[in-house]
Amino acid sequence: MLLHNIELAWQQLVKYRQQSVVSIVSLGIGFACFALAMLWIRYERTYDTQHPEADRLYVVYQKRGLNVREPLGEHLATILPEVEMSTKLYQSDEHILIEGVKHEIKDMECDSTLMELLGIEVVEGDRNFWMQKGQYAVTQEFATRVWGEESPIGKRFTSAFNDREKTIAAVVRGYGGHSNVPFQLLYGKESKDNWYSSRGYALLRLRPNVNGEAFMQKIDTFVVKVPETVQNWGTGGAFDYSGLGAVPITEFRQVLSDSGETASLSAATGLVQFRHIRLIALAGALLILSGLLNYLTMFINRIIIRRREVVLRSAMGGTTWNIMGMFFTEYVLLLVVALGCGLFVMETLLPWFQELTGVGSTRGAIYAEAMLYSTGVVLVGFLLSMPVINYFRRRSVAQTLQGRGTQHTYQSFRKASVVVQLIISIGFIFCTAVMMMQLEKLRHTNPGFERQEMAVLHIYDDNDSQAFAQRLNEMPEIKEWHEGYSLFPRSGMIGFGLKVGGTDKWINCTMVLGAKEYQQFYGLRLKEGRWIEEGDKDCAVVTESTVKDMEVENPIGTRLELSKEEGYTIVGVVKDIYYRGPTDKAENHLFCNDLHGSSYGQGDYLIKYHPGTWPSLRKKLTDLLEDTETSKATFRLQSCEEEYDKCILSELTLRKLMAAVSVVCILISLFGVWSMIMLNCEQRRKEIAIRKVFGATAGQILWQFFGEYMLLLVVAALVAFPIGYACMKPWVEQYVIQVAIPWWLYAGIFLANALLITLCIGWRVWRTAHAHPAKEISKG
């Protein structure tokens, strides 16, 4: 019986092959998008699950900027009864030289508490290596890669940034799995933590049975009372520290990715933000919904067409279960074929998907998990569709036996299905269009500084700077260059607390060394006052956000104090600058000539180059600095434009994905409308023929269909546009530079959909309306 039902189901799929292909392709793409997105979400949520007691491990971070004050980690265990133990979590990138070979590695500061919390085990060498200055531990994987089977204990290496030798005193077993804090080297603390320095995060383990949700809510409003008087250039005084957040270590990945702080991601940079991954999963689910509605509507239409067959089967002894089995076999067969199509799409996308996400699972594991998600969707879709199919089956049979039509209920269902598909299609187009407009706004709007045709070269330990400067002057690609710390990509900035003169108000501010030449090099926009000149002492130019925090009406002439004797007088105000990411608010900045005795010096070469010369310039600089005969410097060369694109990489990736999904969704909706028009024409061919006999023209018949579907489009637009606006308005408002949603976008999307639907209607209905009436009436 099952084989017979499968054979009948296959015949029906072939008979309505155009509609079947549309449904199979749309459902297959939807299954692939949804399964990959869910796989991606699960992968992101399993970071750092390999640590012992991972469910009790929490990371405390600063809501703005992520990094916390250095002593916070150890301090929390002494002031919070919920905390069992805590420490600082700090990891960074490092370049080291081993026997003349450069290695790029990640090192991590550690102590016994950190090793216990993360489950790091010493397998060879000194178990207390972290207590000795200059003593390091390496992971087994790194030791095997560099020295093979030879023991690394006692081996020496140097940092590429200085000539100090360091000794490997231990080998540790890495914690394996994917982590936000991978490492190859471990070392102990080399300096005392300072409450004025922000670096790393606080890692802690809660006591058993502590409510994690309640703890996170507590940290959200918690104020740390710094327990000692700290000194900052002669300014002393205790202070409060707040603005913290806490999250389980297994969910910290989401905080990092959604922060837009790509530099803080140690495992990879520029990842798609977690909220954007959820949008991709939602897009896949909506594709599946649109495809299911499309096919379900056509399937019910077939039930109505085959109602006489159903009655005859019942008269010949067919039970309800036999008939339902026949219909459900056909329905399930299409879902299974669509699932196979989805696996084919996955196979095509898998290399790109793994490169984008970093998912390192084997193909078999990925397919097994994807099959699990897709099978779940198939079952849910089947269970939700079963009552609808059974309802129309019973109703069509009952009304056929009574000699009544079944069209009214079906037509209502068909129209509702078309409206839902159009709502999804219009919503996708609208949201994608707003995303693209917002992204173009971000890419082409000045964020407060110039970045086009600019690059930054940071050189570590270059002893021949004058000779190098001469080489820069000889390169024809370079239009202008300046030596000093880079504003973007950010480098070497120092933050201080400053007191507003004549008040008790303190503000936090990032200090930037750079007078008029530097400020104009970056194209900072002066709002009021003047630039600071090279000879100006104790003068400063501040940004608008700094003035806002100062809460003064006229900032020019206002004094900002580092101490009673030292400070700066504001002589100018510039527009805010945004360099962290598109969703980060502007930070306070102060530009000055000196930092009152600080050793804060120069560091970067800031370069403006002629348009179109970046590839040539990059090659010349790289070849020059990698030539070991003329330079031993370690360097970093960055294009400002490329680095800024990293800040919006998540949006760039989301735009590509959503644009592709939108195209598919539009095609599904149009094919759905076209298929339903075709079936509608098939059902109403006798009605159309009779109308022609009584004098109706092809144009009048065409207008009847056109009016019906235009009304459905209007209803869909009235629902889709408000929902789209409600979704996209908060999304746009999260960015510091925002695009306005213009009126013509609504009109353009509506007219484009109207035009496409008109083409679908025109081709099919015109063909039916021009058929010979006698032939149509004579058909069965």
Side-chain angles (χ1 to χ4, degrees):
M1 186 66 180
L2 178 60
L3 292 177
H4 177 67
N5 285 342
I6 293 175
E7 184 178 351
L8 290 176
W10 182 256
Q11 291 174 358
Q12 289 296 315
L13 292 181
V14 173
K15 181 179 179 180
Y16 299 97
R17 53 185 172 273
Q18 291 177 325
Q19 297 95 325
S20 299
V21 168
V22 171
S23 299
I24 289 170
V25 172
S26 61
L27 287 172
I29 295 175
F31 285 145
C33 291
F34 182 76
L36 290 176
M38 293 302 296
L39 178 65
W40 195 352
I41 289 174
R42 189 204 63 80
Y43 181 79
E44 292 287 319
R45 294 179 69 91
T46 54
Y47 269 79
D48 292 298
T49 54
Q50 69 272 26
H51 306 302
E53 305 289 349
D55 59 325
R56 292 197 284 138
L57 293 181
Y58 283 72
V59 176
V60 177
Y61 61 95
Q62 185 76 34
K63 293 177 184 176
R64 184 171 181 175
L66 296 180
N67 291 324
V68 299
R69 304 297 175 95
E70 288 194 70
L72 181 68
E74 296 178 350
H75 183 61
L76 288 176
T78 65
I79 61 174
L80 295 177
E82 301 93 336
V83 177
E84 183 176 78
M85 60 174 59
S86 64
T87 188
K88 182 172 72 173
L89 179 63
Y90 176 70
Q91 181 260 13
S92 62
D93 296 321
E94 178 71 273
H95 296 77
I96 62 173
L97 294 174
I98 301 177
E99 298 177 354
V101 179
K102 185 186 297 185
H103 297 268
E104 294 184 10
I105 55 94
K106 296 183 183 296
D107 61 9
M108 186 161 63
E109 187 176 288
C110 80
D111 56 18
S112 58
T113 303
L114 181 75
M115 295 176 68
E116 179 178 349
L117 291 177
L118 296 183
I120 301 172
E121 180 183 354
V122 176
V123 295
E124 182 183 357
D126 185 0
R127 295 184 178 274
N128 297 317
F129 69 91
W130 54 273
M131 300 179 65
Q132 307 296 323
K133 186 175 181 180
Q135 302 291 302
Y136 279 66
V138 297
T139 61
Q140 290 174 310
E141 296 80 6
F142 182 74
T144 301
R145 188 169 78 242
V146 177
W147 293 284
E149 297 299 323
E150 184 181 358
S151 173
I153 302 300
K155 299 291 185 182
R156 295 180 177 274
F157 66 92
T158 59
S159 170
F161 303 152
N162 56 58
D163 295 328
R164 287 180 294 180
E165 278 199 339
K166 299 168 185 178
T167 304
I168 297 176
V171 178
V172 299
R173 181 180 292 114
Y175 34 66
H178 48 294
S179 171
N180 289 304
V181 282
F183 69 93
Q184 286 81 42
L185 283 179
L186 290 177
Y187 65 96
K189 296 180 181 179
E190 297 183 353
S191 60
K192 188 176 180 180
D193 291 340
N194 189 324
W195 276 102
Y196 271 103
S197 174
S198 295
R199 192 176 66 152
Y201 318 107
L203 176 66
L204 51 89
R205 185 166 70 195
L206 300 183
R207 298 185 185 279
N209 302 320
V210 170
N211 187 310
E213 291 292 333
F215 177 77
M216 288 189 291
Q217 293 177 6
K218 179 177 181 178
I219 293 295
D220 192 57
T221 57
F222 192 69
V223 177
V224 178
K225 301 289 184 180
V226 176
E228 61 183 273
T229 299
V230 291
Q231 299 294 320
N232 180 32
W233 269 296
T235 302
F239 62 91
D240 296 338
Y241 179 36
S242 60
L244 302 172
V247 69
I249 192 172
T250 54
E251 299 178 16
F252 189 48
R253 180 69 163 188
Q254 302 162 36
V255 174
L256 291 175
S257 65
D258 287 348
S259 71
E261 293 275 347
T262 55
S264 67
L265 291 169
S266 54
T269 58
L271 292 181
V272 177
Q273 296 177 14
F274 193 75
R275 60 178 179 271
H276 293 167
I277 302 174
R278 291 195 295 262
L279 284 177
I280 297 168
L282 176 61
L286 289 176
L287 273 182
I288 295 172
L289 174 62
S290 183
L292 280 175
L293 279 173
N294 186 11
Y295 181 67
L296 183 60
T297 306
M298 291 184 289
F299 188 75
I300 290 170
N301 185 81
R302 295 177 200 171
I303 292 176
I304 295 172
I305 293 174
R306 297 167 64 187
R307 61 186 182 275
R308 290 190 178 90
E309 175 193 343
V310 174
V311 172
L312 288 174
R313 286 181 179 273
S314 299
M316 296 295 291
T319 65
T320 300
W321 285 109
N322 293 145
I323 297 171
M324 289 299 295
M326 178 183 67
F327 285 127
F328 287 146
T329 300
E330 180 181 342
Y331 191 76
V332 171
L333 179 62
L334 180 130
L335 292 179
V336 171
V337 175
L339 186 57
C341 177
L343 292 177
F344 175 77
V345 174
M346 279 187 56
E347 176 64 25
T348 304
L349 296 177
L350 200 55
W352 170 81
F353 173 77
Q354 289 185 300
E355 181 181 356
L356 174 67
T357 63
V359 175
S361 305
T362 62
R363 254 182 165 78
I366 291 176
Y367 280 124
E369 190 168 346
M371 281 292 293
L372 180 64
Y373 293 131
S374 299
T375 303
V377 173
V378 168
L379 290 175
V380 171
F382 175 74
L383 293 175
L384 293 177
S385 304
M386 187 167 59
V388 179
I389 294 172
N390 189 43
Y391 169 78
F392 279 99
R393 196 265 320 165
R394 288 187 290 105
R395 188 175 181 87
S396 63
V397 171
Q399 293 186 345
T400 299
L401 292 173
Q402 297 169 10
R404 296 161 51 195
T406 61
Q407 290 300 312
H408 178 71
T409 303
Y410 167 71
Q411 292 299 335
S412 299
F413 178 79
R414 177 183 62 81
K415 292 176 182 178
S417 176
V418 171
V419 168
V420 172
Q421 290 185 66
L422 288 174
I423 288 173
I424 295 174
S425 176
I426 293 172
F428 263 116
I429 298 171
F430 178 80
C431 293
T432 304
V434 173
M435 286 180 184
M436 291 183 175
M437 293 172 63
Q438 176 62 43
L439 183 58
E440 290 304 305
K441 183 82 170 178
L442 291 174
R443 296 191 70 183
H444 296 101
T445 301
N446 191 324
F449 58 88
E450 291 183 6
R451 65 184 189 278
Q452 284 81 14
E453 285 85 45
M454 293 184 65
V456 176
L457 174 63
H458 190 92
I459 301 178
Y460 304 91
D461 289 336
D462 180 37
N463 297 319
D464 196 4
S465 60
Q466 290 185 353
F468 182 74
Q470 181 61 34
R471 299 297 294 270
L472 290 180
N473 292 329
E474 295 172 356
M475 293 183 182
E477 294 88 351
I478 296 179
K479 182 192 303 183
E480 177 185 358
W481 66 273
H482 183 87
E483 188 176 2
Y485 276 106
S486 170
L487 183 63
F488 181 85
R490 183 170 174 171
S491 171
M493 306 301 177
I494 298 179
F496 289 112
L498 295 166
K499 184 178 180 181
V500 181
T503 70
D504 294 328
K505 184 173 183 58
W506 287 78
I507 64 170
N508 292 318
C509 202
T510 297
M511 317 288 278
V512 185
L513 279 177
K516 180 178 180 179
E517 178 186 358
Y518 177 91
Q519 296 160 28
Q520 293 183 340
F521 180 89
Y522 271 108
L524 303 185
R525 295 168 292 176
L526 190 66
K527 182 181 178 182
E528 59 178 302
R530 65 175 180 85
W531 302 107
I532 55 173
E533 305 290 346
E534 289 292 343
D536 288 339
K537 186 178 181 182
D538 298 340
C539 293
V541 170
V542 297
T543 54
E544 292 174 298
S545 61
T546 310
V547 174
K548 184 177 180 180
D549 275 6
M550 290 168 57
E551 298 178 351
V552 296
E553 294 183 4
N554 184 14
I556 304 300
T558 302
R559 183 80 172 168
L560 292 176
E561 300 175 352
L562 280 169
S563 66
K564 293 181 179 179
E565 296 80 19
E566 299 173 334
Y568 305 94
T569 300
I570 297 176
V571 298
V573 179
V574 295
K575 295 283 188 179
D576 282 332
I577 53 179
Y578 306 93
Y579 54 73
R580 284 189 175 275
T583 60
D584 284 356
K585 303 299 181 184
E587 290 188 359
N588 298 339
H589 284 80
L590 181 147
F591 297 88
C592 57
N593 278 327
D594 66 275
L595 290 179
H596 295 284
S598 169
S599 60
Y600 179 68
Q602 304 298 299
D604 299 329
Y605 293 93
L606 318 176
I607 300 169
K608 284 186 180 179
Y609 52 86
H610 294 285
T613 62
W614 171 238
S616 172
L617 176 61
R618 175 166 50 189
K619 186 178 187 308
K620 284 185 178 181
L621 289 173
T622 302
D623 290 345
L624 175 63
L625 291 165
E626 286 183 347
D627 185 353
T628 56
E629 294 183 3
T630 59
S631 174
K632 295 182 180 181
T634 300
F635 67 95
R636 182 178 66 244
L637 179 61
Q638 297 168 294
S639 162
C640 294
E641 191 68 16
E642 291 174 359
E643 293 301 313
Y644 190 79
D645 280 349
K646 288 181 182 179
C647 296
I648 55 176
L649 180 59
S650 182
E651 281 76 12
L652 286 168
T653 305
L654 179 67
R655 182 183 71 164
K656 294 177 183 177
L657 294 173
M658 292 301 291
V661 172
S662 295
V663 170
V664 173
C665 190
I666 294 167
L667 292 176
I668 291 173
S669 297
L670 290 176
F671 277 122
V673 171
W674 176 77
S675 300
M676 291 177 190
I677 292 171
M678 185 172 64
L679 289 173
N680 203 9
C681 289
E682 178 68 20
Q683 288 180 300
R684 298 170 63 181
R685 65 183 187 275
K686 290 185 179 180
E687 174 194 338
I688 294 172
I690 293 171
R691 286 179 180 273
K692 288 187 67 177
V693 170
F694 282 93
T697 64
Q700 290 172 329
I701 296 172
L702 183 63
W703 179 255
Q704 181 184 7
F705 280 84
F706 180 78
E708 175 186 343
Y709 281 92
M710 284 302 105
L711 179 60
L712 297 180
L713 178 62
V714 169
V715 173
L718 291 175
V719 176
F721 283 135
I723 293 176
Y725 181 85
C727 293
M728 296 310 298
K729 185 63 175 175
W731 187 83
V732 169
E733 288 177 345
Q734 69 180 322
Y735 295 99
V736 293
I737 301 172
Q738 301 172 12
V739 68
I741 303 177
W743 65 268
W744 53 260
L745 181 62
Y746 301 93
I749 293 174
F750 181 84
L751 292 175
N753 276 274
L755 176 61
L756 293 173
I757 290 175
T758 300
L759 293 175
C760 291
I761 294 173
W763 181 82
R764 184 60 197 175
V765 177
W766 189 267
R767 180 180 173 185
T768 304
H770 277 76
H772 196 283
K775 293 182 179 180
E776 295 297 318
I777 293 174
S778 64
K779 287 183 180 179

